[in-house]
Amino acid sequence: MSITYLEAIREAQARALAEDPRVFIYGQDVGAFGGAFKATKNLAQEFPGRVIDAPISEDAIVGAAIGAAVEGMRPIIEMQFADFSTPGFNQIVNHAATLYWRTQVPCPITIRLPSGGTSGSGPFHSQSMETLYAHYPGLIVMTPATVEDAYSMLLEAVALDDPVIFCEHKLLYNHLKAESLPTEAVPVGKARLARPGRDMTIVAYSAMVHEALAVADELASEGTEVEIVDLRSIKPLDTDTVMASVARTGRLLCVGESWPWGGVTAEVVSRVACEGFGLLDAPPQRLNAKDTPVPYHPNLWAAHRPTARSIAAAARRLLRI
Amino acid sequence: MLLARTLDEKFASLYRAGKIHGGVFLGRGQEALSVAVGLNLRKGDVFAPLIRDQAGRLAFGETLLDAARTYLGSALGPMRGRDGNVHRGRPREGYLPMISHLGAMIAVVNGTLLARRFKGVLRTVGATCIGEGATSTGSFHEAINQAAVEKLPLVLVIANNQYAYSTPSSRQFACTSLADRASGYGVDAHSVDGTELAACLSVLAEAVERAREGHGPQMVVARLLRLCGHGEHDDASYVDPRLKASPLGRDCLKVAEQNLLSRQWADAVTIEGWRCEAVHKVEEAVATALREPTPDPYKENWCALASKHLVETHPEV
């Protein structure tokens, strides 16, 4: 038996619905249709009345989730595409994220963002939004890169008493597979050493972890051992694990699929430079998507985001410094 | 109404004396409408007031001390100095604290009502108040439509007070009456003269009852005039004097007093007694709040997450 990243997300939601009567799912096309990506397939049938189709109203969808959370429910919101969370941005960052600080009443909502680029999806169905949400206090931002993490972190997201932005990568939905669902999990807030190595550290998250792993394989054949740190959640960001890795390797390359101005890679490099400057044998490097909207055509799209090829080139440059 | 007006006037004088940080927003001219909302709600209902709803807040059960503590920045108030003035509430008691973004509270009230449906809690309603300016937002449209689709017991009260800050209604919408919009959403509409307390009480009673009885969302549109600036920093010099002189410009509190006198339900001495009692209560609450400690940045935990174990530490500023 094998299970995909997408099936793990579906199974986590099924388990949350089965185990906790406070959980419900609300979003566009999530009901009988089972969601645009089938992440809620059959859940409306298995849990009648608890998987509800919403009008195309992202602001009101998040607003209603906040109200339900105040009343003690634990809503899971599907945004269909991460890009479409922008009409709900106000309720997320100004309302959900501030509620606990202002009132001491928790706001346990999970907002699922089908994130990242897939070939042919273009500027409005390809975005990675994690940087925007991580900037705001009061939100937790998860970026699972494995089937196991998609499952266990989604369950933890639902169980947490805070609003969670759950960035699930569309490219991983169907082609990333595991043998089975995990029975135990690394807690949110801890990064994972995806591959040990001694010559340089690549810090990545979400789909970029897999590009980085491919680079590590390639460079291993040339005698270079690359260590890969999978951040798992970008807020909180596990600086300790990153720093420990850089202490071992002395070289840091941080890779992200979102845009180059600011963001996760800038945050990681900034923290390492401020707190671990003496650990570095070379200037820390970062690699991001190009500073344009995400292009539609596969030729352009493949060149827009970091890939194993561009990461390998950046890694070789860093090794020569 | 009288207590709310008295409290508002006290806040205005404290503001002018420099005793209040940030803005002060009054409900002058809107007390009849606002109190009618609060009085028609019961314990267990949900209320999300806006900036001109001191009367409704008190009628719903807010204490004078909660209001005074929030305006005066007492560490003992419900917001403990983390938020101020009209941004206050007690969510656990169904009293939702507004954010500044207009129209945002409507969907949140919808969510509380959805939750009650899930939990099998029946016959509670949720009310929220906005001005005509908020009807121009996408949030308003999304949320009233959402409430209609889900047939929620929502009472959406729109105070058309003729100005959104300085912008007149003519620059806000082009329909004859905002109540005309209700049928487009498939919800019931009610119109009322917001300067008449008796009319407000009866219209809100009907709207709340219809929502409670399962007739879906109710939209109430009240005509009135804001008898103050947007906030106390604003002299409202832009308000058309013809509006002030029109029936819309009547002071609902004076109209209500005149009604009491002409119907001989109260005499002038009794009303003056109520006024003195209101002043006494307000002075007592303000004096208490002024004696209380203000928030201490060294005791503040600076923690925006309920999940304390996930809080990141950063170098101290």
Side-chain angles (χ1 to χ4, degrees):
Chain A
M1 179 211 156
S2 75
I3 183 159
T4 66
Y5 184 92
L6 179 64
E7 287 164 347
I9 288 165
R10 191 245 175 232
E11 291 306 311
Q13 292 179 100
R15 182 171 162 187
L17 283 162
E19 290 182 352
D20 190 341
R22 299 171 300 176
V23 174
F24 70 97
I25 299 177
Y26 189 44
Q28 295 153 26
D29 305 300
V30 297
F33 183 64
F37 296 99
K38 301 297 168 201
T40 57
K41 186 178 174 184
N42 291 332
L43 293 180
Q45 291 84 346
E46 288 173 33
F47 302 94
R50 294 172 66 194
V51 184
I52 309 171
D53 282 330
I56 303 173
S57 300
E58 288 81 3
D59 178 293
I61 289 169
V62 181
I66 295 165
V70 165
E71 290 284 308
M73 304 295 286
R74 304 188 92 86
I76 302 173
I77 298 304
E78 178 179 305
M79 273 298 169
Q80 197 153 97
F81 284 82
D83 314 54
F84 301 156
S85 69
T86 48
F89 192 68
N90 178 45
Q91 294 281 19
I92 297 172
V93 304
N94 286 315
H95 216 158
T98 64
L99 190 76
Y100 176 73
W101 163 261
R102 295 164 70 229
T103 67
Q104 300 294 284
V105 172
C107 188
I109 65 180
T110 299
I111 303 177
R112 290 181 37 237
L113 303 189
S115 302
T118 49
S119 175
S121 295
F124 312 115
H125 293 76
S126 304
Q127 292 173 33
S128 300
M129 308 290 290
E130 64 277 1
T131 293
L132 283 182
Y133 294 111
H135 183 65
Y136 281 85
L139 298 173
I140 292 165
V141 184
M142 301 184 184
T143 50
T146 66
V147 175
E148 292 82 356
D149 277 352
Y151 181 76
S152 65
M153 291 175 82
L154 184 49
L155 283 170
E156 194 167 350
V158 176
L160 284 171
D161 273 341
D162 290 292
V164 176
I165 307 297
F166 191 82
C167 303
E168 49 193 57
H169 204 292
K170 302 195 294 291
L171 201 63
L172 306 181
Y173 268 165
N174 291 310
H175 79 249
L176 197 63
K177 293 186 175 72
E179 283 308 306
S180 59
L181 292 172
T183 50
E184 47 188 44
V186 182
V188 168
K190 296 285 176 210
R192 177 178 68 100
L193 204 59
R195 178 183 173 121
R198 62 171 187 222
D199 298 324
M200 68 176 294
T201 298
I202 297 182
V203 171
Y205 60 98
S206 190
M208 284 298 134
V209 170
H210 302 284
E211 302 290 333
L213 285 167
V215 171
D217 281 343
E218 185 182 330
L219 268 62
S221 66
E222 300 166 13
T224 301
E225 291 182 25
V226 178
E227 182 150 298
I228 312 282
V229 175
D230 169 10
L231 291 174
R232 301 179 70 244
S233 67
I234 59 135
K235 191 169 192 180
L237 183 65
D238 181 2
T239 314
D240 290 349
T241 297
V242 172
M243 214 68 80
S245 176
V246 175
R248 284 189 289 274
T249 66
R251 281 179 158 76
L252 171 66
L253 170 63
C254 193
V255 184
E257 188 178 328
S258 64
W259 291 304
W261 201 99
V264 179
T265 59
E267 183 68 25
V268 169
V269 165
S270 152
R271 291 189 190 193
V272 170
C274 290
E275 299 167 38
F277 192 72
L279 304 173
L280 290 162
D281 296 330
Q285 304 294 309
R286 45 195 290 261
L287 191 64
N288 300 283
K290 292 186 191 301
D291 195 18
T292 69
V294 184
Y296 150 75
H297 196 278
N299 293 354
L300 298 178
W301 176 72
H304 180 265
R305 65 197 274 276
T307 56
R309 193 172 163 188
S310 63
I311 298 167
R316 288 193 181 98
R317 276 198 304 275
L318 176 56
L319 287 163
R320 283 197 297 270
I321 295 175
Chain B
M1 281 174 83
L2 180 61
L3 191 57
R5 177 71 62 89
T6 307
L7 182 61
D8 268 2
E9 285 175 351
K10 182 66 184 178
F11 288 147
S13 71
L14 287 165
Y15 174 82
R16 286 191 291 272
K19 301 274 190 198
I20 289 178
H21 294 279
V24 168
F25 304 90
L26 308 186
R28 176 180 277 268
Q30 297 190 194
E31 291 95 338
L33 175 67
S34 184
V35 81
V37 182
L39 285 175
N40 277 295
L41 297 175
R42 298 178 190 158
K43 193 171 173 56
D45 288 339
V46 174
F47 184 39
L50 206 71
I51 62 175
R52 308 199 191 286
D53 284 310
Q54 187 57 62
R57 290 171 190 258
L58 291 171
F60 188 64
E62 184 186 54
T63 62
L64 290 169
L65 200 51
D66 264 13
R69 282 171 161 167
T70 309
Y71 259 115
L72 292 162
S74 162
L76 307 182
M79 314 310 279
R80 296 152 304 132
R82 290 179 173 186
D83 208 341
N85 52 63
V86 288
H87 301 270
R88 61 182 196 268
R90 291 185 178 270
R92 290 274 189 249
E93 294 164 28
Y95 172 32
L96 301 179
M98 57 171 281
I99 68 167
S100 300
H101 300 65
L102 294 175
M105 300 310 296
I106 309 168
V108 178
V109 175
N110 290 347
T112 65
L113 300 172
L114 269 178
R116 282 151 188 238
R117 181 184 293 172
F118 279 122
K119 293 191 282 189
V121 176
L122 303 174
R123 294 183 57 77
T124 61
V125 306
T128 187
C129 302
I130 58 172
E132 82 286 354
T135 66
S136 305
T137 64
S139 298
F140 166 85
H141 165 73
E142 288 193 12
I144 183 73
N145 181 62
Q146 177 184 55
V149 167
E150 293 292 342
K151 295 189 175 53
L152 296 173
L154 170 75
V155 180
L156 177 56
V157 182
I158 304 169
N160 180 3
N161 67 12
Q162 315 304 320
Y163 289 89
Y165 205 149
S166 74
T167 303
S169 297
S170 60
R171 300 300 306 161
Q172 204 67 245
F173 57 87
C175 51
T176 309
S177 165
L178 289 170
D180 295 343
R181 291 189 182 175
S183 65
Y185 290 110
V187 308
D188 291 346
H190 310 258
S191 292
V192 65
D193 176 351
T195 67
E196 282 281 358
L197 175 62
C200 290
L201 285 169
S202 82
V203 166
L204 261 300
E206 186 192 346
V208 170
E209 188 59 18
R210 281 188 63 76
R212 208 181 293 285
E213 292 299 322
H215 297 286
Q218 308 289 312
M219 182 191 286
V220 178
V221 180
R223 305 174 302 277
L224 45 84
L225 180 66
R226 194 185 75 204
L227 301 181
C228 50
H230 169 61
E232 280 307 275
H233 56 278
D234 171 25
D235 67 5
S237 55
Y238 45 79
V239 174
D240 187 339
R242 286 169 298 182
L243 275 175
K244 290 184 190 169
S246 77
L248 282 180
R250 297 190 304 168
D251 180 345
C252 60
L253 188 61
K254 287 188 181 147
V255 173
E257 282 184 18
Q258 282 305 317
N259 265 329
L260 289 179
L261 292 169
S262 64
R263 291 168 191 263
Q264 295 184 325
W265 288 350
D267 59 23
V269 174
T270 308
I271 292 174
E272 192 50 35
W274 293 342
R275 203 182 314 276
C276 289
E277 192 186 341
V279 168
H280 177 72
K281 285 180 177 168
V282 165
E283 291 294 340
E284 196 176 26
V286 166
T288 302
L290 279 171
R291 279 195 303 270
E292 289 175 350
T294 51
D296 179 348
Y298 296 101
K299 289 181 181 161
E300 169 61 56
N301 70 6
W302 300 110
C303 175
L305 293 177
S307 316
K308 298 282 181 285
H309 65 291
L310 296 182
V311 173
E312 292 195 80
T313 53
H314 293 275
E316 282 297 310
V317 288

